[in-house]
């Protein structure tokens, strides 16, 4: 009897403890605890539907490793050319290393300027100024020759660049384009930096600058009104003996490796290939012809022709947005590019989004060679050479070993750890080519710089 009394007391105390815990719990927790039950099991929470946007499709797209690798390499060349642009604005095309360290963010260099210059000894030459006795930097002779060769090739291929410019103006709705938008893609079109003053005045019968800063096409050439995809269609029709219905409005499709083909994808693609649309060089009076798919297919044709006219068959997506109104493409350009992975590919490497024309691009650049890209490929090969040992760098190693021995013999503090460069360069009369130096300190400590 006594045992039963003790058990009842224990159960009562345990029940009191549970009630105390439940009373001390917040009301929100209680609501979550009693949300599901025998009488409210049908009131289940609905999970949010995954967001399907251009950003999520960009992240979930099938990657093309060969084009991403090419974009990583071109990023290095872009940084090198950015530093060259800073050096070219200086008198004598050189500047001090300390002054260059202040400008490195303008060129997009996110590491120390000393580490950056050491990565490319075949591109940048570091030497001691004969008068001011400070470290200076300039382009090596090999890189300077390639830059001069590129400018010469661009002048020789001026007629082809003018032809590309005419075709772009013929695709525009009113025959006009903004000069600033054309200046942004000058390298893609193979035009010089000062094309407004050096190229346009030579063709007064073809171009005219109208206010405000717009370029207008005066005379149209009917022989240029043939898109590159139409040449491909004719070749497919002639060589593969396909029917006219299959090739009249078709585009070359090259799906990336590993692309997951869902159910019904092939049927939708076949119907889209046979869908008629308004071609890029046709009359622009009627823009919205038919349904939305035809309007989007016209935009695809304009983007395909735009990329076909570029030298490297690629362009930044951000710069394409400058031509939306002129070409009357009232669509989301990035979303449209992602909807057609067999025609375009967007690479996010290089801190930017760049679209490639898949049919004309390979791991080494454009499939069809052109003189302008041939020179740029030589620049890229020189950049990718990095710090590899060559015959040109052997005198530098001998000079470094000789100076290292002199420094180590004259010092009492043990082995040399690389800090010998600046004292020796400041006290030496010669100018060693491609010198190696340590990272400079605060740029404000230098009193005599350019």
């Amino acid at each position: 009897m006594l045992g039963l009394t003790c058990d009842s007391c224990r159960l009562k105390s345990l029940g009191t403890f549970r009630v105390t815990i439940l009373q001390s719990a917040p009301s929100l927790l209680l609501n979550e605890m009693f949300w599901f039950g025998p009488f409210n099991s049908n009131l289940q929470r609905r999970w949010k539907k995954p967001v399907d946007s251009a950003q999520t499709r960009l992240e979930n797209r099938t990657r093309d490793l060969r084009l991403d690798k090419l974009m990583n390499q071109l990023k290095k060349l872009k940084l090198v050319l950015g530093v060259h642009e800073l050096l070219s604005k200086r008198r004598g095309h050189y500047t001090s290393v300390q002054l260059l360290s202040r400008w490195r963010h303008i060129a997009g260099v996110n590491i120390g300027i000393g580490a950056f210059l050491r990565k490319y000894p075949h591109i940048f030459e570091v030497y001691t100024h004969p008068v001011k006795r400070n470290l200076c930097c300039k382009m090596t002779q090999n890189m300077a020759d390639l830059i001069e060769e590129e400018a010469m090739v661009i002048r020789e291929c001026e007629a082809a660049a003018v032809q590309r410019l005419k075709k772009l103006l013929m695709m525009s709705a009113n025959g006009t384009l903004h000069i600033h938008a054309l200046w942004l893609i000058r390298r893609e079109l193979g035009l010089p930096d000062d094309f407004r003053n050096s190229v346009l005045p030579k063709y007064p019968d073809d171009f005219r600058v109208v206010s405000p800063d717009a370029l207008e096409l005066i005379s149209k050439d009917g022989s240029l009104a043939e898109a590159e995809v139409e040449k491909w269609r004719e070749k497919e029709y002639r060589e593969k003996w396909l029917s006219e219905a299959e090739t009249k409005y078709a585009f070359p499709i090259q799906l990336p490796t590993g692309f997951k083909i869902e159910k019904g994808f092939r049927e939708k693609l076949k119907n889209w290939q046979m869908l008629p649309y308004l071609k890029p060089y046709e009359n622009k009076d009627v823009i919205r012809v038919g349904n939305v798919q035809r309007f989007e297919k016209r935009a695809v044709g304009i983007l395909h022709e735009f990329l076909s006219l570029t030298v490297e068959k690629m362009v930044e997506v951000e710069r394409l947005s400058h031509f939306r109104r002129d070409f009357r493409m009232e669509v989301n350009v990035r979303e449209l590019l992602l909807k057609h992975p067999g025609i375009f590919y967007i690479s996010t490497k290089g801190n930017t989004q760049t679209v490639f024309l898949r049919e004309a691009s390979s791991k080494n650049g454009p499939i069809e060679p052109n003189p302008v890209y041939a020179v740029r490929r030589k620049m890229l090969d020189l950049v990718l050479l990095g710090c590899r040992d060559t015959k040109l760098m052997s005198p530098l190693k001998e000079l470094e070993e000789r100076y290292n021995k002199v420094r180590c013999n004259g010092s009492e503090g043990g082995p040399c750890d690389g800090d010998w460069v600046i004292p020796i360069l400041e006290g030496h009369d010669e100018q060693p080519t491609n010198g190696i130096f340590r990272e400079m300190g605060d740029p404000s400590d230098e009193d005599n710089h350019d």
Side-chain angles (χ1 to χ4, degrees):
M1 190 70 180
L2 182 61
L4 293 175
T5 306
C6 294
D7 291 340
S8 61
C9 293
R10 290 176 182 175
L11 292 175
K12 183 182 290 185
S13 61
L14 183 60
T16 305
F17 176 74
R18 289 179 177 177
V19 171
T20 306
I21 291 297
L22 291 176
Q23 290 178 354
S24 62
S27 58
L28 181 61
L29 183 61
L30 292 176
N31 293 335
E32 294 180 356
M33 291 172 60
F34 295 104
W35 181 264
F36 296 100
F39 302 104
N40 55 6
S41 59
N42 58 338
L43 302 177
Q44 298 180 2
R45 291 186 178 181
R46 302 182 64 180
W47 296 100
K48 291 184 179 180
K49 186 178 180 180
V51 179
D52 185 18
S53 62
Q55 182 63 28
T56 57
R57 285 194 292 272
L58 180 65
E59 296 173 355
N60 299 330
R61 74 192 188 283
T62 304
R63 306 297 177 91
D64 195 328
L65 300 181
R66 59 190 182 92
L67 294 181
D68 284 342
K69 182 179 179 180
L70 176 63
M71 200 61 222
N72 273 330
Q73 296 174 351
L74 293 176
K75 174 188 174 182
K76 301 177 182 179
L77 178 61
K78 184 179 179 181
L79 293 177
V80 168
L81 294 178
V83 176
H84 165 260
E85 186 177 356
L86 295 177
L87 295 176
S88 62
K89 295 179 180 179
R90 302 288 296 175
R91 184 177 59 184
H93 302 288
Y94 74 94
T95 185
S96 65
V97 175
Q98 286 187 331
L99 188 59
L100 189 61
S101 65
R102 302 177 184 177
W103 297 344
R104 60 187 177 91
H105 294 294
I106 301 177
V109 180
N110 297 326
I111 61 176
I113 196 62
F116 179 76
L117 298 179
R118 283 197 297 268
K119 288 175 64 177
Y120 307 106
H122 299 276
I123 305 296
F124 302 104
E125 178 181 349
V126 182
Y127 63 98
T128 305
H129 196 276
V131 178
K132 298 182 179 180
R133 315 304 298 168
N134 59 345
L135 283 178
C136 295
C137 173
K138 67 178 182 180
M139 308 299 290
T140 59
Q141 189 61 38
N142 291 338
M143 189 63 182
D145 293 341
L146 289 178
I147 293 174
E148 182 63 28
E149 183 180 355
E150 182 191 16
M152 182 183 64
V153 171
I154 288 177
R155 289 193 298 267
E156 294 176 353
C157 300
E158 182 179 304
V162 170
Q163 200 174 44
R164 299 188 196 102
L165 193 56
K166 281 184 179 181
K167 299 187 75 170
L168 280 180
L169 290 168
M170 290 173 61
M171 281 197 301
S172 62
N174 301 323
T176 58
L177 290 174
H178 291 277
I179 295 182
H180 177 68
L182 294 174
W183 186 85
L184 291 176
I185 61 169
R186 65 194 185 280
R187 286 186 57 85
E188 286 79 0
L189 297 178
L191 291 170
D193 295 342
D194 59 341
F195 71 94
R196 179 171 183 174
N197 300 324
S198 61
V199 177
L200 297 183
K202 297 181 182 179
Y203 304 90
D205 298 334
D206 298 328
F207 307 111
R208 178 174 57 193
V209 179
V210 296
S211 181
D213 290 339
L215 185 63
E216 183 182 4
L217 182 64
I218 299 177
S219 61
K220 295 184 179 181
D221 190 357
S223 62
L224 299 178
E226 184 181 9
E228 291 294 327
V229 68
E230 295 177 6
K231 300 178 183 178
W232 173 84
R233 291 168 185 163
E234 182 181 357
K235 182 179 179 181
E236 290 288 303
Y237 177 76
R238 185 178 63 255
E239 294 182 357
K240 295 187 178 181
W241 296 83
L242 299 176
S243 63
E244 185 180 359
E246 294 177 342
T247 59
K248 188 174 181 180
Y249 300 106
F251 284 85
I253 303 296
Q254 294 182 3
L255 295 173
T257 304
F259 182 80
K260 184 179 180 181
I261 299 179
E262 299 178 353
K263 184 178 181 181
F265 174 80
R266 297 183 185 275
E267 187 67 23
K268 291 181 181 178
L269 180 60
K270 182 179 179 180
N271 296 334
W272 184 86
Q273 289 279 60
M274 301 176 64
L275 184 69
Y277 71 102
L278 193 66
K279 297 181 181 180
Y281 296 107
E282 290 182 356
N283 189 11
K284 309 302 185 303
D285 294 338
V286 181
I287 298 300
R288 291 187 176 273
V289 180
N291 54 14
V292 178
Q293 289 186 354
R294 293 186 180 184
F295 179 68
E296 290 184 351
K297 192 169 184 179
R298 173 187 173 270
V300 170
I302 291 177
L303 294 175
H304 185 280
E305 183 66 11
F306 188 99
L307 290 171
S308 299
L309 294 176
T310 58
V311 173
E312 303 178 15
K313 310 305 178 186
M314 66 178 185
V315 69
E316 294 184 10
V317 178
E318 183 181 358
R319 295 178 181 178
L320 283 176
S321 60
H322 292 274
F323 298 90
R324 280 203 318 154
R325 291 186 178 180
D326 295 326
F327 294 151
R328 293 189 180 179
M329 296 186 302
E330 302 299 331
V331 294
N332 188 335
V333 176
R334 186 176 66 169
E335 187 172 355
L336 183 65
L337 296 173
L338 291 172
K339 287 178 65 175
H340 301 277
I343 305 175
F344 311 106
Y345 176 71
I346 297 180
S347 175
T348 55
K349 302 296 182 180
N351 299 328
T352 184
Q353 295 181 9
T354 306
V355 56
F356 288 85
L357 186 60
R358 186 178 292 278
E359 66 187 78
S361 302
S362 64
K363 62 180 181 180
N364 295 323
I367 296 178
E368 296 183 1
N370 58 82
V372 179
Y373 183 76
V375 181
R376 293 177 183 174
R377 184 66 200 186
K378 294 179 183 178
M379 294 183 187
L380 182 60
D381 293 338
L382 194 62
V383 171
L384 297 179
L385 195 58
C387 298
R388 296 178 185 174
D389 192 10
T390 60
K391 295 180 180 180
L392 298 176
M393 301 299 293
S394 56
L396 174 64
K397 284 192 173 182
E398 297 176 1
L399 186 63
E400 179 180 346
E401 292 176 359
R402 181 160 54 90
Y403 282 149
N404 198 5
K405 290 180 181 179
V406 173
R407 182 65 179 173
C408 292
N409 293 335
S411 61
E412 301 176 0
C416 177
D417 57 355
D419 294 337
W420 54 271
V421 181
I422 292 181
I424 286 187
L425 290 180
E426 290 180 350
H428 196 263
D429 295 334
E430 298 179 357
Q431 299 181 13
T433 59
N434 296 312
I436 302 175
F437 59 93
R438 64 180 178 87
E439 182 67 31
M440 305 300 296
D442 188 4
S444 60
D445 296 336
E446 179 180 334
D447 296 329
N448 51 351
H449 54 75
D450 290 348

